[in-house]
């Protein structure tokens, strides 16, 4: 279970990105995080993925305090959370296969294991057969799918997505969202930051709304 | 994707030797492959390292060769004692016998002044001039050599002082002192080259550090992304350390090749020269051991140069938000 207890995040210079955030997300739950740009959505996700740390309060994942994770353990904790970015964050000098294989190589998987798992992940996002292409030769939607395949390839219990459909047209956005629904159906906890309100309403999942760093609605 | 339910958030950090070795092996060749993809840049850096290292390596091997040359000349100290004109043959013989009994002296022979004059007459061609002399102008000379392990300068000096103070002896002359001076100069040169090696070693360290620093900058996004998907510091560090290793290895090998190539180029003229002097002097190339030493030295510089820069960079990243 993911739990935020009185979480504050202040950036140097006195900017309060998050103010007194409290919410719970059960294991296996899927939820949206909405709000305008600058409302603190990315910051909230970064606190979970250990890319940032709260200035006050606690972020708990199955009762482990993320603020107390030792420096040594941070990389291992990051492997438990698959992160997807609006700008994909792909390595442009590596093939699709190598991009998706990266988390497995880092975790020290064997070669044949890597082959199998990368194929499975690419199959899931509908990119099987494009392993040897370079990201630059793929469309924006396909690049995002590579990013998703990379986030799920080592089967993390949680997926965080930061504006995954930000640059995509409505039809493609819906396809991407359906992928997340499928992951959620096999038990993965999913938290998606998005400002695509119409799509979110259509899908009918719980949504958390942030406004100027505060959680204003928390409905499910 | 998973049909099996995802595991929880507990960190499992088991150590698996086979996957550890697998990662190392992968990085080992991947880092070489990366360098091979930009061969021009790689060879440029390797060239700079090689030339920098070939200077001290070349100087040291030259000094070795010169030492070797001076070693081929019999380094036995030969001391000539010129006796006073007033000393007659009997006294000279007695002194020679006394010197022969001295434990510090291996050999002492008397060159009789009459014999010396005869010899001189025979070889110099001044026969006519010499016959006009009323008496033999040459003194008796005792030639001696100290025992072979008598190499300590202070002990030798005491012996020389004894001779100089001896009432029968007019002049003491050491024949091999120029060779000693050469050896002393070579020793100074060797010491200086050690210093130069140190300085140029630091230069190589800086060259490699700077190259790795540029590579860190070029691969900034890759480093960030690998961190995002859970790479440890060690994982990020590894390819750069191996990069430093490859620069060191190739730089060291090329440096040794350069030194041997230079020696090969002067080998011909050198043997012509030594043949003219009737010497059997042969130029020595870098020995197997020094080749190994230079390559290890270079690799060590490569690894430590990249280690310092990469750690500095990673600590900087750790302290700034992603």
């Amino acid at each position: 279970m993911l739990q935020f207890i009185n979480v504050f995040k202040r950036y140097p210079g006195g900017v309060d990105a998050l103010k007194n955030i409290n919410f719970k997300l059960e294991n296996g739950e899927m939820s949206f995080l909405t709000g305008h740009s600058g409302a603190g959505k990315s910051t909230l996700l970064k606190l979970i993925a250990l890319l940032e740390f709260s200035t006050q309060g606690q972020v708990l994942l199955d009762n482990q305090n993320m603020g107390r994770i030792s420096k040594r353990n941070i990389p291992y904790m990051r492997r438990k959370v698959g992160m997807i970015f609006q700008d994909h964050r792909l390595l442009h000098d590596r093939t699709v296969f190598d991009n998706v294989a990266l988390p497995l190589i880092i975790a020290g998987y064997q070669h044949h294991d890597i082959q199998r798992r990368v194929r499975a992940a690419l199959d899931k996002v509908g990119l099987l057969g494009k392993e040897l292409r370079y990201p630059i030769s793929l469309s924006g939607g396909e690049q995002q799918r590579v990013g998703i395949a990379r986030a799920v390839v080592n089967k993390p219990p949680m997926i965080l997505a930061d504006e995954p459909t930000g640059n995509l047209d409505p039809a493609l956005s819906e396809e991407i969202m359906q992928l997340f629904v499928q992951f959620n159906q096999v038990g993965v906890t999913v938290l998606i930051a998005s400002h695509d309100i119409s799509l979110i309403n259509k899908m009918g999942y719980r949504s958390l709304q942030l406004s100027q760093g505060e959680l204003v609605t928390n409905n499910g | 994707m998973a049909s099996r339910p995802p595991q929880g958030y507990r960190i499992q950090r088991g150590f698996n030797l086979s996957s550890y070795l697998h990662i190392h092996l992968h990085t080992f060749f991947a880092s070489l492959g990366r360098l091979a993809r930009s061969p021009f840049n790689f060879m440029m850096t390797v060239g700079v390292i090689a030339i920098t290292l070939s200077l001290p390596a070349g100087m040291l091997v030259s000094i070795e060769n010169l030492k070797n040359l001076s070693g081929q000349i019999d380094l036995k100290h030969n001391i000539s004692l010129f006796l006073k004109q007033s000393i007659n043959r009997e006294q000279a013989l007695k002194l020679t016998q006394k010197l022969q009994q001295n434990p510090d002296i291996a050999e002492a022979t008397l060159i009789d002044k009459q014999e010396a004059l005869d010899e001189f007459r025979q070889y110099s061609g001044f026969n006519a001039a010499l016959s006009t002399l009323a008496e033999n102008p040459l003194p008796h000379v005792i030639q001696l050599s100290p025992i072979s392990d008598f190499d300590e300068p202070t002990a030798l000096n005491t012996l020389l002082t004894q001779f100089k103070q001896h009432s029968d002896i007019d002049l003491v002359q050491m024949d091999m002192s120029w060779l000693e001076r050469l050896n002393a100069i070579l020793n100074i040169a060797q010491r200086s080259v050690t210093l130069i090696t140190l300085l140029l070693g630091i230069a190589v360290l800086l060259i490699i550090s700077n190259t790795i620093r540029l590579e860190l900058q070029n691969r900034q996004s890759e480093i960030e992304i690998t961190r995002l998907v859970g790479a440890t510091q060690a994982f990020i560090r590894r390819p750069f350390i191996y990069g430093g290793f490859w620069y060191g290895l190739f730089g060291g090998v090329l440096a040794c090749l350069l030194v041997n190539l230079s020696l090969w180029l002067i080998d011909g003229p050198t043997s012509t020269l030594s043949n003219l002097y009737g010497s059997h002097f042969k130029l020595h190339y870098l020995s197997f051991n020094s080749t190994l030493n230079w390559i290890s030295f270079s690799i060590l510089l490569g690894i430590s140069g990249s280690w310092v820069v990469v750690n500095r960079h990673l600590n900087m990243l750790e302290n700034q938000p992603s």
Side-chain angles (χ1 to χ4, degrees), chain B residues 230-290:
Chain B
T232 56
Q233 289 225 3
F235 183 89
I236 298 171
R237 193 192 297 130
R238 221 167 276 136
F240 296 99
I241 304 296
Y242 276 123
F245 167 83
W246 290 119
Y247 279 119
L249 175 69
F250 283 98
V253 169
L254 188 60
C256 292
L257 286 178
L258 281 177
V259 169
N260 279 338
L261 180 72
S262 314
L263 287 170
W264 180 73
L265 285 175
I266 60 167
D267 199 359
T270 312
S271 52
T272 314
L273 182 70
S274 70
N275 279 339
L276 284 176
Y277 279 91
S279 152
H280 296 295
F281 175 70
K282 246 189 87 57
L283 208 55
H284 282 265
Y285 289 80
L286 271 181
S287 69
F288 180 72
N289 274 343
S290 8

Side-chain angles (χ1 to χ4, degrees), chain B residues 92-197:
Chain B
L93 260 175
K94 233 172 147 183
L95 183 61
T96 310
Q97 278 160 7
K98 215 174 104 189
L99 286 172
Q100 277 164 350
Q101 281 153 19
N102 188 328
D104 288 341
I105 291 164
E107 226 185 307
T109 41
L110 177 70
I111 300 172
D112 183 272
K113 62 179 175 184
Q114 194 53 49
E115 282 171 29
L117 187 66
D118 290 344
E119 202 174 306
F120 190 56
R121 260 201 192 112
Q122 202 175 335
Y123 293 110
S124 71
F126 287 120
N127 197 352
L130 288 169
S131 2
T132 62
L133 291 173
E135 59 181 82
N136 187 350
L138 298 175
H140 291 295
V141 176
I142 301 172
Q143 268 200 336
L144 56 87
S145 45
I147 49 171
S148 54
D149 60 339
F150 203 75
D151 279 336
E152 278 184 44
T154 47
L156 191 64
N157 275 334
T158 8
L159 195 68
L160 288 177
T161 325
Q162 272 176 26
F163 292 149
K164 279 173 190 162
Q165 284 164 354
H166 198 284
S167 57
D168 295 349
I169 295 170
D170 192 24
L171 184 72
V172 181
Q173 193 181 306
M174 281 259 302
D175 291 345
M176 290 297 168
S177 52
W178 70 270
L179 212 55
E180 281 204 320
R181 280 185 213 124
L182 177 65
N183 260 336
I185 291 168
L186 288 178
N187 279 335
I188 294 171
Q190 204 162 24
R191 187 70 56 94
S192 316
V193 172
T194 312
L195 271 173
I196 292 171
T197 308

Side-chain angles (χ1 to χ4, degrees), chain A residues 10-42:
Chain A
R10 171 174 288 193
Y11 283 114
V15 185
D16 286 308
L18 293 175
K19 288 175 239 172
N20 199 23
I21 305 290
N22 286 286
F23 74 92
K24 279 182 190 175
L25 195 64
E26 297 296 334
N27 285 344
E29 198 181 342
M30 174 150 162
S31 175
F32 286 98
L33 191 61
T34 64
H36 295 291
S37 301
K41 302 191 295 288
S42 297

Side-chain angles (χ1 to χ4, degrees), chain A residues 27 46 51-52 61-62 64 71-73 75-80 85 89-91 93-94 102-103 105-106 108-111 117 120 124 150 152 155 157-158 183 186-189, chain B residues 1-13 16 18-20 22-23 26 34 37 219 221-233 235 315 318-322:
Chain A
N27 285 344
K46 282 178 177 173
L51 302 174
E52 300 272 4
L61 256 183
D62 277 357
Q64 291 178 96
K71 246 184 182 175
R72 269 167 55 94
N73 280 332
Y76 297 91
M77 200 65 215
R78 281 185 189 144
R79 295 176 195 174
K80 299 283 179 188
F85 305 89
R89 301 274 184 108
L90 300 179
L91 295 169
D93 60 342
R94 309 253 182 114
L102 190 62
I105 292 169
I106 287 170
Y109 280 83
Q110 298 290 332
H111 185 67
R117 282 170 183 254
K124 194 72 197 166
R150 184 182 66 191
V152 300
K155 298 178 182 171
M158 177 184 276
F183 293 135
V186 294
V188 181
T189 311
Chain B
M1 240 322 274
S3 45
R4 112 179 110 96
Q7 330 106 336
Y9 301 102
R10 292 279 157 214
I11 291 170
Q12 298 118 24
R13 297 190 33 170
N16 181 337
S18 104
S19 73
Y20 181 77
H22 187 257
I23 286 182
H26 178 266
R34 176 172 289 276
R37 254 171 279 152
R219 294 170 69 181
S221 63
E222 183 185 340
I223 292 172
E224 261 167 39
I225 289 166
T226 47
R227 278 181 79 220
L228 290 180
V229 296
T232 56
Q233 289 225 3
F235 183 89
N315 285 335
E318 204 59 44
N319 295 327
Q320 92 188 8
S322 312

Side-chain angles (χ1 to χ4, degrees), chain B residues 17-34:
Chain B
L17 182 69
S18 104
S19 73
Y20 181 77
L21 291 177
H22 187 257
I23 286 182
H24 264 278
L25 208 66
H26 178 266
T27 322
F28 187 73
F29 290 111
S31 58
L32 183 63
R34 176 172 289 276

